[in-house]
Amino acid sequence: MRFSDARARSAILTSRAMPPLDAIQKSVARITARWPDVVAVPDARNREALAMEMLLRISKWAWKDVKLSRVMSAAVAVFDEERRDRPDLEDVRRFYLDEIRATDSSTFLQGMTKVYIETFDPSSPKSAALARQLKARADGLDGRTRDLLAQLPALFDPEDVPRELAEIMAASDDPYTSLKQLGFRTPHGTGLTRSAHRPFVAHLAPHLRRVEEREKLWAWIAPRSGSALQTDAAHAVEALLKPWAEQTPPDEVREEISEAIIAAYNDPRTHNGGIWSGFSPELRAVLLRWLTKQDMLFFCDMVTATQNSHMWPPRRDFWLSLYEDGRIDEAWVAFGASARDFARRKLLRSGVEGLSKRFGQQHDRGGSTSLLIMRIGDKIVVDGCHSYRTHIFRRDDPKAPKLYGMHYYCDDIMRVSRNAKSHSSIPAWQDWVLRHV
């Protein structure tokens, strides 16, 4: 007996007079427009229980009080990546495939299409089996699913549909919104849309020096109407950096890309998780170099704006020239109180997010001194504004200040330093720095 027949037999039939259905139909239309999914995608923690419940129902052929929504949610569980190859659930998967062949319910077919899209994996035989059965029943699909099939003809061809969907995304200025308009309520969240991610990135990759193509990629991975993509996002961010691996971009491009990356995925200098845990070391180094320049420029801008000293401009030019020569590997800023407030106002005006972790704080001397902490090869170099001396430590010195901290004390650094030089003579100071790094 088919599942649909069993459900029909269990229903209590009466011959009551029905009221006019116009109002109900309008309400259903509104609900369907707002919540169009037949399948409620279950939380990961509930999936095993749903799968076991379906296995028990099938083994006992017990359908009393069962709801179609629960049956469809269980289908997601038995076809997902964790369970789709488990031998103990083979009868459950066969049940769904048999029901696709036999059912006359377009609602059930719509639901199983959703299951196919949700659990899609182009390399999985289980996805291929669902595709074959659904393709054979295309004439029984509901109108919404037929519309999707019309716009995505390869929907039930697992080898071709990721590429076809990627091409639709690449043809749009706003891929995320375009997928929502196709009927994908959570464009980042289904197996099918995830499978289109890499082909889509590959389509854009040769053109990511162009701002229009970068904007299209950002519209996908960090949409205005949704959260930033997490699954495989590192691949997209690496693609953004690759065109500049051998050539430094103009400052406005460097700032545009690095600020967008930090806003969506945090600063790799202060966050080790998320996309950064498996990120390409070579491309991470490219981004760190960009951020080093940004921090050095930002520090120099703040000191220039808040300090009136004839000795500062040559010091600024010296450090920036060392960076341009490739000598400065990393840099971090710790602002004193007054400079910190100035920096926050400037960053706020430019729309930068996550201000609390964009630089450290320097607390000694009433916060009047700001620090620039650099790694130059195997040395840690600390320079400060006003009359603060330059201090050089070996990187492996346990007393050397660490980069990317949140709190620093310039007097403590001065007390433990064994190698320091004042700026009283700029030529002598420059020569000293070059000799010691």
Side-chain angles (χ1 to χ4, degrees):
M1 181 188 302
R2 291 181 299 164
F3 163 67
S4 52
D5 293 338
R7 290 183 70 244
R9 283 195 179 186
S10 65
I12 300 174
L13 302 178
T14 65
S15 57
R16 297 175 183 169
M18 296 295 292
L21 300 178
D22 292 350
I24 295 175
Q25 290 170 346
K26 289 180 181 178
S27 296
V28 169
R30 286 196 300 270
I31 292 169
T32 302
R34 188 171 181 184
W35 295 288
D37 293 340
V38 174
V39 181
V41 178
D43 291 337
R45 63 179 179 272
N46 298 329
R47 293 189 179 190
E48 183 64 17
L50 284 166
M52 291 297 98
E53 178 186 325
M54 276 302 294
L55 179 60
L56 182 62
R57 286 189 181 278
I58 289 168
S59 63
K60 295 182 177 297
W61 207 248
W63 303 108
K64 185 178 180 182
D65 299 326
V66 68
K67 292 183 178 180
L68 179 59
S69 59
R70 191 165 183 83
V71 173
M72 303 313 298
S73 293
V76 175
V78 299
F79 281 98
D80 71 10
E81 183 178 10
E82 183 177 342
R83 277 162 281 270
R84 62 182 165 224
D85 295 319
R86 268 178 37 187
D88 63 316
L89 294 173
E90 185 59 34
D91 287 346
V92 185
R93 289 187 292 271
R94 188 180 302 112
F95 157 80
Y96 284 109
L97 296 172
D98 290 345
E99 189 64 25
I100 292 172
R101 280 195 298 269
T103 190
D104 56 6
S105 169
S106 63
T107 302
F108 183 83
L109 293 175
Q110 179 190 4
M112 289 308 297
T113 301
K114 167 69 176 179
V115 172
Y116 166 70
I117 290 171
E118 181 70 29
T119 63
F120 179 84
D121 181 341
S123 64
S124 169
K126 303 306 186 291
S127 284
L130 278 174
R132 284 192 300 272
Q133 298 301 338
L134 290 166
K135 190 174 185 178
R137 295 301 317 278
D139 59 336
L141 295 172
D142 68 298
R144 202 158 45 249
T145 309
R146 286 199 301 272
D147 288 344
L148 175 60
L149 188 57
Q151 296 179 77
L152 193 62
L155 177 62
F156 297 128
D157 296 314
E159 290 186 3
D160 296 333
V161 67
R163 174 193 52 77
E164 185 174 85
L165 188 56
E167 289 174 355
I168 291 173
M169 295 166 66
S172 170
D173 291 335
D174 189 345
Y176 187 89
T177 299
S178 292
L179 290 194
K180 293 198 79 169
Q181 292 170 347
L182 274 177
F184 297 97
R185 286 191 60 206
T186 54
H188 288 165
T190 72
L192 179 52
T193 53
R194 285 196 294 266
S195 75
H197 170 70
R198 288 208 169 207
F200 168 68
V201 174
H203 194 285
L204 297 186
H207 314 293
L208 286 173
R209 284 177 178 263
R210 300 204 299 255
V211 64
E212 298 83 5
E213 302 304 305
R214 293 196 298 273
E215 288 176 351
K216 185 179 296 187
L217 184 59
W218 279 114
W220 165 241
I221 65 175
R224 291 187 179 90
S225 59
S227 301
L229 175 72
Q230 297 301 321
T231 303
D232 214 15
H235 181 70
V237 176
E238 288 171 352
L240 283 165
L241 295 171
K242 278 180 184 177
W244 310 104
E246 304 297 330
Q247 177 186 356
T248 302
D251 284 350
E252 64 273 13
V253 174
R254 170 187 52 75
E255 186 172 354
E256 167 221 317
I257 296 174
S258 57
E259 289 296 341
I261 290 172
I262 289 175
Y265 298 108
N266 295 314
D267 190 327
R269 300 171 299 180
T270 55
H271 290 78
N272 294 319
I275 71 168
W276 305 115
S277 58
F279 204 80
S280 160
E282 293 79 11
L283 293 172
R284 186 177 185 275
V286 170
L287 180 58
L288 289 180
R289 177 165 170 77
W290 292 3
L291 295 174
T292 294
K293 183 170 187 179
Q294 279 187 219
D295 277 0
M296 291 184 65
L297 288 172
F298 194 58
F299 176 84
C300 291
D301 287 348
M302 294 306 100
V303 174
T304 300
T306 57
Q307 176 179 329
N308 183 20
S309 169
H310 70 282
M311 299 183 71
W312 168 242
R315 289 167 57 199
R316 174 197 61 207
D317 296 343
F318 174 73
W319 291 127
L320 291 177
S321 69
L322 280 190
Y323 171 84
E324 295 299 340
D325 290 343
R327 298 289 304 276
I328 298 178
D329 301 291
E330 300 178 75
W332 184 245
V333 174
F335 283 125
S338 58
R340 184 165 65 249
D341 292 340
F342 188 94
R344 285 182 183 277
R345 290 194 298 272
K346 182 172 181 177
L347 289 174
L348 281 170
R349 285 195 299 270
S350 63
V352 172
E353 300 178 3
L355 298 181
S356 63
K357 295 186 178 180
R358 294 306 301 271
F359 43 77
Q361 300 179 43
Q362 195 294 116
H363 299 282
D364 280 341
R365 304 187 181 185
S368 62
T369 299
S370 296
L371 300 177
L372 176 64
I373 303 136
M374 298 164 281
R375 180 175 71 82
I376 303 177
D378 63 352
K379 303 293 174 56
I380 298 296
V381 180
V382 183
D383 197 24
C385 65
H386 303 299
S387 60
Y388 192 75
R389 293 186 172 204
T390 301
H391 302 271
I392 299 179
F393 299 80
R394 288 194 58 81
R395 189 182 182 187
D396 58 2
D397 185 341
K399 295 180 180 178
K402 306 298 183 185
L403 277 78
Y404 315 131
M406 289 294 108
H407 302 281
Y408 294 87
Y409 297 86
C410 67
D411 288 346
D412 287 352
I413 293 171
M414 180 183 65
R415 280 190 285 269
V416 299
S417 171
R418 295 191 295 267
N419 195 14
K421 179 73 174 174
S422 74
H423 313 96
S424 56
S425 167
I426 292 296
W429 168 76
Q430 290 177 338
D431 180 65
W432 175 82
V433 171
L434 292 173
R435 284 189 289 106
H436 286 85
V437 298

